[in-house]
Amino acid sequence: MLGKIKNYKREGNKFLFNFENGEGILEIISSKIINVFVPIKYKEHNSKSIENINLKDTNVIEKRFEDKVEIETDDVIAVVYDNFKVDFYDKQRNPLCLEYDGERNPFIRRGNVSIAEGEGISTQADFKHHKIEVIKKMFGDEYFYGFGEKTGHLNKKGYYYEMWNTDDPKPHVENYTTLYKSIPFFMTLRQKTAYGIFFDNTFKSYFDMGKENSEYYYFGADNGNLDYYFIYGPSAIEVIEGYTYLTGRTPLPQMWTLGYQQCRWSYTPESRVMEIAQNFRKRDIPCDVIYLDIDYMDGYRVFTWDREKFKNPNEFTEKLKEQGFKVVTIIDPGVKKDKGYYIYDEGIENGYFATDKDGIPYVNEVWPGDSLYPDFSDEKVRKWWSEKQKVMVDSGVAGIWNDMNEPASFRGPLPDDVQFKNDGFPTDHTEIHNVYGHLMSKATYEGIKRYTGKRPFVITRACFAGTQKYSTVWTGDNHSFFEHLRMAVPMLLNLGLSGFAFCGTDVGGFQFDCTPELLSRWVQVGCFTPLFRNHSCIHTRDQEPWAFDEKTEEINRKYIKLRYKMLPYLYDLFYEAENTGLPIMRPLFIHYMDDEKTYELNDEFLWGENMLVAPILEQGKTFRGVYLPKGSWYDYFTGEKIEGGRVILKDAPIDICPIYIKEGSIIPTFNEMSYVGQNRFDELVLEVYRGNGTYVHYEDDKESFNYKEGEYNLYKIEQVVEDGKIIINFSIQHKEYNDGYKKIKVKLKNSLVKSVYADGKEIEFIQEGNDTVVEMNVEDKQFIFLI
Ligand code: GLC
């Protein structure tokens, strides 16, 4: 306990408190973000997640009372008490987040558990205090979200989780407290007000969200500093903006990475890869990426090729390139212990591997057998690893898949005392474990950026808060279970709320044998997951779109084509993600915080603000209830206009995924293609759903960093509905990308019109079913549709 406040002083935005038994710092990052810091292990922050912190101006007023100090920004009031207890209020003095003034008092687990363990029954951890522990009051009407990749439901209230990156291939179910990723961030929603807490601590950490006692929730860690950020909303969107302001945002990816991706453990040899590629083209199923899993390597030695299976890697990747395919290869961290193998030799010579406490390189087992673990916490090692990416880039590889980086180990976990250099602050595995994958991804990202000059595509299994700056993620080894399809929705939604805009699951499921129905339903979800990759395990039955029957293939084709049609809309969402941190797949509540019915929807989501997706997640089901929030919605497939603010019953036979478009939406779409870059992007089709609304569309070269220098276009489109007419106003807000669209079509959905005027002149229009289509020049300013 820190004891009573003796005194405090202000230094700029920092308040340095002197307590009887130590110091504590409260730092104002912005009017809405406040850091609470107690230097316990390190004198300074030692964040792996936050790279630059830019303080934002705010007025700060401080008031000293006998027993507390009040610090008021433009948006929140923080009240600091003895023992560095801190309460947060809004400006009207409504409590937001208060300390719990009592001791932990958990429920009792009765009985001697060893008898149950005899049968193999899994039991829960007993009550334990943590070295670092912060206990907050529960009012009872909270909803909790976030925590990155966790099993279970959207709302985490009443559950307990741990942060310790874990590779456990058994079926992921609700009693799992850990998985591959550690994102110690959550958001609380209460009384239509949201705040977030980011606990910036890489040691094993613990979050009990009112499970052990409904009077409080707590977060804690085994070691490190007490270091957390309070992030005020009041909207959920502002909390996500605040959190990603700190830890970084998903950068705009190359557009091809948003296409369909096909993976399998493993497509080898070369002829099998070619066969897969040809099938996609022959069957008219768009696809951009084929992955090579571990068997492309020479004896699982990273940064090598098996020359028997892939005679000439460059020719091989070139051949695929000609057909419009990119190749992404897996790279695991484990380096085979093998004298004469260049990566091993270089690592040993330079001391690049993690060691035991006596400084001897630590050995465990992964795919190659005895393997060593590069110490990515050392700048020199990250540089080395990033330079090694050149080997892959030079072979024509377009992206890198980082796996097994929890790190995984087949001969038991890495002991706590495995040593890491930690950029000048030597430490052990307990501190580096959770950021091992994060640091590996960072090194990979930097290497790919350097050697391709393009926006890197990295996909990682393990990560930490902030990895979103470098890498997309997938949710590891799920199973071909309907249960896992169902779980994918809340899991991805919470990952999105936790900064990971670019995420996905193995479509079809990784382990176990997929069924035609499951693949059909999974591709309907995959079509809307930011990362759209079908992947399956060695020895499971084939799972490519055509692996079952014609009907399943047709459903795959339909949704994969829909994905390509929607690419410009999806790309806009990514542009938004880079600028605001907002996810692509969104729980409804972030746009409908006034509507409590949206707080616990586990089986439907928004795709951006304009589209609502309500997939079928159960076997045999061909209809479902869909909650449509207030406003009017259009059924994407039938065009029917439906009033929201209620649950509707929707028929959804096997080829239908219920999709709704919000009235007033303007959805930019592309014409058909087999892969990104097959044709020039000369034509954009704007699908306009009747209603008042505005939309901004983003366009650039889809691959380079030139957009950072301003080489992009922003088109603003406004729809105004008046009596008897629909007016579309078009303006270009930014135009520095010169290779933009040559032609834009406006498709007025579900509307037959009498005549159309472009900038005052009557023009031709085409009737396509119930839609009206006009062509415009990019310079046109206004369309008037008379209806
Ligand atoms: C791990 C990965 C999986 C991959 C396999 C072989 O299980 O999670 O995606 O296919 O290793 O590399």
Side-chain angles (χ1 to χ4, degrees):
M1 288 292 234
L2 285 168
K4 285 191 178 315
I5 303 176
K6 282 187 2 200
N7 53 53
Y8 78 95
K9 65 175 180 207
R10 182 172 173 184
E11 275 178 11
N13 60 317
K14 282 187 187 167
F15 291 83
L16 310 165
F17 286 87
N18 241 325
F19 296 94
E20 286 166 331
N21 308 315
E23 57 168 331
I25 300 166
L26 190 120
E27 185 175 2
I28 313 292
I29 309 297
S30 73
S31 66
K32 293 184 173 185
I33 306 179
I34 294 176
N35 175 245
V36 177
F37 179 68
V38 182
I40 297 171
K41 183 170 168 67
Y42 296 107
K43 276 198 106 49
E44 305 283 333
H45 296 277
N46 64 332
S47 185
K48 298 280 192 273
S49 307
I50 301 176
E51 291 187 356
N52 312 300
I53 215 162
N54 294 315
L55 305 177
K56 285 192 191 168
D57 274 351
T58 173
N59 295 305
V60 181
I61 306 163
E62 58 190 276
K63 285 187 205 140
R64 177 78 164 111
F65 297 84
E66 203 176 311
D67 58 339
K68 63 183 180 186
V69 179
E70 279 192 12
I71 297 161
E72 186 171 343
T73 73
D74 291 339
D75 289 292
V76 286
I77 303 166
V79 187
V80 179
Y81 301 91
D82 294 342
N83 294 313
F84 208 17
K85 301 272 185 209
V86 188
D87 288 343
F88 297 95
Y89 295 84
D90 70 12
K91 293 283 272 192
Q92 287 71 47
R93 297 200 172 255
N94 297 310
L96 296 168
C97 171
L98 305 184
E99 299 276 352
Y100 179 66
D101 63 2
E103 294 294 310
R104 279 175 58 195
N105 181 20
F107 64 78
I108 301 164
R109 294 189 184 277
R110 296 182 203 283
N112 179 353
V113 79
S114 58
I115 184 80
E117 281 169 349
E119 197 196 357
I121 287 179
S122 66
T123 52
Q124 308 303 312
D126 275 330
F127 170 78
K128 188 171 105 182
H129 270 299
H130 308 289
K131 183 169 174 193
I132 316 269
E133 209 168 74
V134 178
I135 313 173
K136 299 285 188 186
K137 178 182 165 63
M138 283 259 284
F139 294 89
D141 51 355
E142 288 90 349
Y143 296 81
F144 295 112
Y145 309 99
F147 298 112
E149 174 195 75
K150 295 292 176 198
T151 55
H153 296 82
L154 187 63
N155 179 11
K156 301 304 190 191
K157 185 177 167 196
Y159 287 90
Y160 165 78
Y161 296 102
E162 294 179 353
M163 295 299 165
W164 187 253
N165 291 357
T166 307
D167 168 29
D168 185 344
K170 288 198 287 301
H172 304 149
V173 289
E174 284 182 39
N175 67 353
Y176 273 49
T177 56
T178 59
L179 276 176
Y180 309 92
K181 304 171 181 60
S182 290
I183 323 290
F185 163 76
F186 63 91
M187 183 195 298
T188 308
L189 180 53
R190 183 181 163 256
Q191 304 209 333
K192 303 188 176 173
T193 300
Y195 69 84
I197 290 201
F198 170 45
F199 182 33
D200 195 3
N201 184 310
T202 73
F203 288 87
K204 186 169 188 180
S205 59
Y206 308 84
F207 295 81
D208 185 303
M209 310 318 284
K211 174 173 175 164
E212 69 172 33
N213 189 320
S214 55
E215 298 286 308
Y216 58 80
Y217 68 87
Y218 78 78
F219 51 95
D222 284 344
N223 205 337
N225 292 328
L226 193 164
D227 190 353
Y228 74 89
Y229 294 79
F230 172 82
I231 306 161
Y232 178 52
S235 70
I237 289 175
E238 287 159 296
V239 174
I240 305 167
E241 281 175 357
Y243 172 67
T244 55
Y245 178 76
L246 291 172
T247 60
R249 291 174 180 154
T250 302
L252 189 66
Q254 294 192 57
M255 191 181 265
W256 63 263
T257 69
L258 305 181
Y260 177 78
Q261 313 194 358
Q262 186 64 48
C263 190
R264 170 89 186 163
W265 178 9
S266 294
Y267 290 132
T268 61
E270 185 176 329
S271 56
R272 175 75 181 134
V273 186
M274 289 304 171
E275 194 184 313
I276 296 292
Q278 279 147 18
N279 261 295
F280 276 103
R281 297 298 176 247
K282 188 176 82 197
R283 294 169 188 274
D284 185 29
I285 300 173
C287 179
D288 264 273
V289 187
I290 299 186
Y291 281 70
L292 299 184
D293 205 326
I294 48 176
D295 301 288
Y296 79 90
M297 292 181 259
D298 172 18
Y300 309 123
R301 290 171 185 84
V302 289
F303 304 110
T304 68
W305 288 81
D306 180 330
R307 292 299 185 129
E308 276 184 17
K309 295 180 189 146
F310 297 88
K311 257 217 187 90
N312 184 328
N314 285 85
E315 280 176 16
F316 159 73
T317 52
E318 196 50 42
K319 264 191 269 167
L320 281 169
K321 203 167 153 195
E322 281 161 18
Q323 297 175 49
F325 289 98
K326 304 281 194 294
V327 175
V328 171
T329 52
I330 198 166
I331 292 284
D332 292 337
V335 172
K336 186 177 173 74
K337 184 175 176 198
D338 177 24
K339 226 163 171 269
Y341 159 44
Y342 76 117
I343 301 289
Y344 172 77
D345 291 348
E346 284 175 28
I348 289 291
E349 208 179 293
N350 297 295
Y352 288 161
F353 297 117
T355 68
D356 67 14
K357 57 182 186 318
D358 302 319
I360 314 286
Y362 172 76
V363 181
N364 201 312
E365 183 187 339
V366 265
W367 307 122
D370 279 0
S371 303
L372 292 88
Y373 295 81
D375 178 359
F376 296 117
S377 73
D378 179 359
E379 169 82 56
K380 285 201 298 292
V381 180
R382 291 198 297 276
K383 187 160 175 283
W384 172 60
W385 200 259
S386 74
E387 283 165 7
K388 288 295 159 236
Q389 307 303 316
K390 187 168 187 304
V391 177
M392 305 316 293
V393 171
D394 285 351
S395 308
V397 164
I400 292 292
W401 172 20
N402 285 161
D403 187 25
M404 307 295 276
N405 49 3
E406 292 70 30
S409 47
F410 298 165
R411 279 202 302 264
L414 272 67
D416 285 352
D417 61 3
V418 170
Q419 302 295 304
F420 291 86
K421 297 211 171 65
N422 196 22
D423 291 338
F425 297 90
T427 188
D428 63 28
H429 182 231
T430 57
E431 183 169 0
I432 297 304
H433 179 86
N434 280 341
V435 286
Y436 192 77
H438 171 82
L439 297 167
M440 180 191 189
S441 308
K442 181 177 157 108
T444 306
Y445 175 91
E446 278 158 11
I448 312 240
K449 182 169 178 185
R450 176 159 165 204
Y451 299 114
T452 65
K454 293 184 183 160
R455 307 171 204 165
F457 180 66
V458 182
I459 161 168
T460 184
R461 190 170 74 176
C463 64
F464 192 71
T467 313
Q468 67 267 17
K469 298 186 284 283
Y470 321 117
S471 184
T472 175
V473 292
W474 94 106
T475 59
D477 296 348
N478 59 2
H479 280 66
S480 296
F481 296 167
F482 266 94
E483 189 52 27
H484 276 186
L485 169 60
R486 186 203 58 69
M487 178 180 78
V489 175
M491 189 182 271
L492 293 176
L493 291 176
N494 275 320
L495 260 169
L497 294 177
S498 313
F500 286 80
F502 201 177
C503 56
T505 57
D506 284 349
V507 169
F510 178 70
Q511 299 179 71
F512 197 48
D513 298 319
C514 193
T515 66
E517 185 179 347
L518 180 59
L519 184 62
S520 301
R521 290 307 190 184
W522 212 314
V523 81
Q524 294 172 15
V525 173
C527 171
F528 299 102
T529 58
L531 175 80
F532 187 11
R533 184 183 81 152
N534 175 319
H535 181 40
S536 52
C537 186
I538 196 164
H539 225 255
T540 56
R541 76 179 289 177
D542 285 354
Q543 200 171 287
E544 293 79 25
W546 55 85
F548 296 96
D549 47 52
E550 266 179 35
K551 196 166 144 198
T552 310
E553 182 178 334
E554 186 49 42
I555 292 168
N556 272 265
R557 186 180 295 110
K558 173 176 170 177
Y559 286 91
I560 295 172
K561 284 194 172 182
L562 177 61
R563 168 73 164 218
Y564 281 80
K565 175 181 170 185
M566 294 295 171
L567 278 180
Y569 176 70
L570 178 58
Y571 199 60
D572 284 342
L573 294 177
F574 271 95
Y575 174 69
E576 191 182 359
E578 175 160 25
N579 287 298
T580 65
L582 281 194
I584 312 299
M585 260 177 98
R586 304 175 184 171
L588 270 66
F589 77 80
I590 76 167
H591 288 295
Y592 298 93
M593 262 179 65
D594 274 343
D595 178 358
E596 289 192 26
K597 289 207 186 78
T598 64
Y599 289 7
E600 299 222 43
L601 293 173
N602 292 288
D603 61 354
E604 55 179 90
F605 57 89
L606 292 170
W607 208 47
E609 204 180 338
N610 302 84
M611 291 175 72
L612 187 151
V613 182
I616 297 285
L617 306 167
E618 277 174 56
Q619 179 171 317
K621 200 160 175 182
T622 52
F623 60 90
R624 60 161 291 171
V626 179
Y627 182 68
L628 292 176
K630 228 172 158 181
S632 293
W633 297 83
Y634 289 89
D635 183 310
Y636 176 74
F637 289 113
T638 67
E640 186 192 352
K641 187 177 178 187
I642 305 164
E643 248 345 273
R646 65 194 175 112
V647 178
I648 59 155
L649 193 62
K650 167 72 182 162
D651 272 328
I654 186 70
D655 63 331
I656 292 293
C657 174
I659 303 166
Y660 300 88
I661 317 279
K662 200 169 124 180
E663 68 171 335
S665 292
I666 295 156
I667 310 276
T669 66
F670 280 153
N671 296 320
E672 279 206 10
M673 64 184 86
S674 298
Y675 57 90
V676 172
Q678 181 184 22
N679 311 309
R680 292 176 44 84
F681 297 95
D682 282 347
E683 185 171 308
L684 183 76
V685 182
L686 295 170
E687 296 202 342
V688 176
Y689 289 80
R690 199 187 288 195
N692 292 321
T694 310
Y695 185 80
V696 176
H697 174 59
Y698 172 83
E699 181 190 32
D700 67 10
D701 69 15
K702 300 161 188 66
E703 56 179 32
S704 79
F705 281 100
N706 296 354
Y707 75 102
K708 295 262 189 203
E709 315 301 321
E711 276 186 37
Y712 62 89
N713 301 334
L714 281 178
Y715 306 91
K716 183 174 172 198
I717 310 121
E718 187 193 17
Q719 184 185 185
V720 184
V721 181
E722 288 180 3
D723 239 10
K725 58 181 167 189
I726 296 169
I727 304 164
I728 309 278
N729 292 316
F730 197 83
S731 59
I732 299 182
Q733 292 192 317
H734 184 104
K735 190 158 191 342
E736 282 185 44
Y737 174 57
N738 294 325
D739 207 13
Y741 306 120
K742 305 279 178 290
K743 202 196 283 174
I744 297 184
K745 278 187 182 166
V746 177
K747 185 183 270 193
L748 195 60
K749 294 292 293 176
N750 315 305
S751 299
L752 301 182
V753 307
K754 292 188 197 125
S755 48
V756 187
Y757 293 83
D759 290 340
K761 266 194 252 139
E762 186 161 4
I763 56 162
E764 306 255 296
F765 61 89
I766 306 164
Q767 211 90 49
E768 275 182 14
N770 288 330
D771 308 332
T772 300
V773 185
V774 292
E775 262 184 32
M776 62 179 279
N777 300 313
V778 178
E779 303 78 45
D780 288 339
K781 304 263 177 325
Q782 189 182 60
F783 284 94
I784 299 182
F785 294 83
L786 298 183
I787 44 178

